[in-house]
Amino acid sequence: MRGLYAITDSDNLSTQELLPVTEEILRAGVAALQYRDKSGNHDKRRYEADRLRELCGEHNCLFIINDDVQLAKETGSDGVHLGRDDCDCKTARDELGEDVIIGVSCYDRLEAAQDAVADGADYVAFGSFYPTESKQKTATAEPEIIIRAKERMSVPIVAIGGITPANCRVLVESGADLLAVISSIYRADDPYSTVKEFNRLMDVVK
């Protein structure tokens, strides 16, 4: 796992807007797509997740569900991403099986990342590294935590929070394997070209 980790901007886009923009993003080449929707509308979430999973399959991209182990199971996603208020990694593993990818948000806590890896997490995420409108009241992380995490664990490290092509270099140089982004691609004038620029800066060929 290395490259751009796109997260859907479902809070601001309708289904009719989300799907074509996401296809452009996937066409440009991303390592993984996370479906993040907090609406609580199960029918909408199931429909969008099914369509996005199909698109990811067409573009050789991992499909991850945010927060919802049951939805991940129902849609046959490649994995699930867990936050601080979700179930623990072991519970998700028991429900989804050994082949499913499990990621865990660790914010600015290296110890939480080490615990998550010990519990079987396949990747860990740190952030927010920069101010972000997508998530309010997030912990502030410094690039040094990526360096320390790379020294202590072998799973992929994800950086998240306000990341743009203009500010991502220090995170890449610190060792981030994946850059998780929402607004900088979904609200870009040209999402396809923005993804291509991220890939160039990360030296990822897609």
Side-chain angles (χ1 to χ4, degrees):
M1 294 177 70
R2 186 170 184 275
L4 204 62
Y5 187 163
I7 301 177
T8 60
D9 190 12
S10 302
D11 292 340
N12 296 293
L13 298 176
S14 67
T15 301
Q16 291 74 22
E17 296 168 318
L18 178 69
L19 296 179
V21 175
T22 301
E23 186 164 19
E24 277 293 284
I25 289 167
L26 294 174
R27 191 169 65 85
V30 298
L33 176 77
Q34 182 187 124
Y35 177 54
R36 179 178 181 269
D37 181 282
K38 302 290 188 179
S39 68
N41 184 332
H42 178 76
D43 291 341
K44 168 180 175 285
R45 296 174 74 244
R46 178 61 192 267
Y47 175 80
E48 291 182 347
D50 281 337
R51 300 292 80 74
L52 291 169
R53 178 180 51 78
E54 292 172 0
L55 288 173
C56 285
E58 293 171 9
H59 293 277
N60 193 32
C61 173
L62 293 172
F63 181 57
I64 309 294
I65 297 288
N66 178 266
D67 291 350
D68 193 331
V69 172
Q70 188 59 40
L71 184 61
K73 187 174 183 178
E74 290 174 2
T75 57
S77 74
D78 295 301
V80 66
H81 184 88
L82 306 173
R84 79 175 92 216
D85 297 323
D86 301 318
C87 70
D88 59 63
C89 193
K90 290 180 178 178
T91 300
R93 181 69 69 198
D94 289 343
E95 185 70 23
L96 297 173
E98 292 300 319
D99 295 332
V100 171
I101 295 167
I102 298 178
V104 178
S105 290
C106 300
Y107 311 100
D108 61 344
R109 298 175 55 221
L110 186 60
E111 296 79 6
Q114 291 174 295
D115 290 344
V117 172
D119 284 343
D122 296 292
Y123 72 83
V124 292
F126 295 104
S128 175
F129 287 94
Y130 304 108
T132 173
E133 296 179 5
S134 300
K135 291 187 177 183
Q136 304 298 322
K137 298 181 180 178
T138 54
T140 301
E142 298 294 335
E144 181 187 359
I145 198 170
I146 300 174
I147 297 172
R148 294 169 61 199
K150 295 293 285 187
E151 292 172 346
R152 301 187 187 190
M153 56 196 78
S154 59
V155 301
I157 305 299
V158 181
I160 189 170
I163 299 170
T164 70
N167 64 24
C168 73
R169 175 57 66 182
V170 66
L171 303 176
V172 176
E173 292 176 348
S174 296
D177 299 289
L178 296 123
L179 300 180
V181 295
I182 306 175
S183 302
S184 62
I185 52 173
Y186 273 96
R187 301 185 197 178
D189 292 335
D190 186 345
Y192 179 91
S193 296
T194 303
V195 172
K196 287 294 188 184
E197 178 63 5
F198 269 116
N199 286 337
R200 184 188 70 81
L201 293 166
M202 296 188 76
D203 196 25
V204 171
V205 177
K206 289 288 186 179

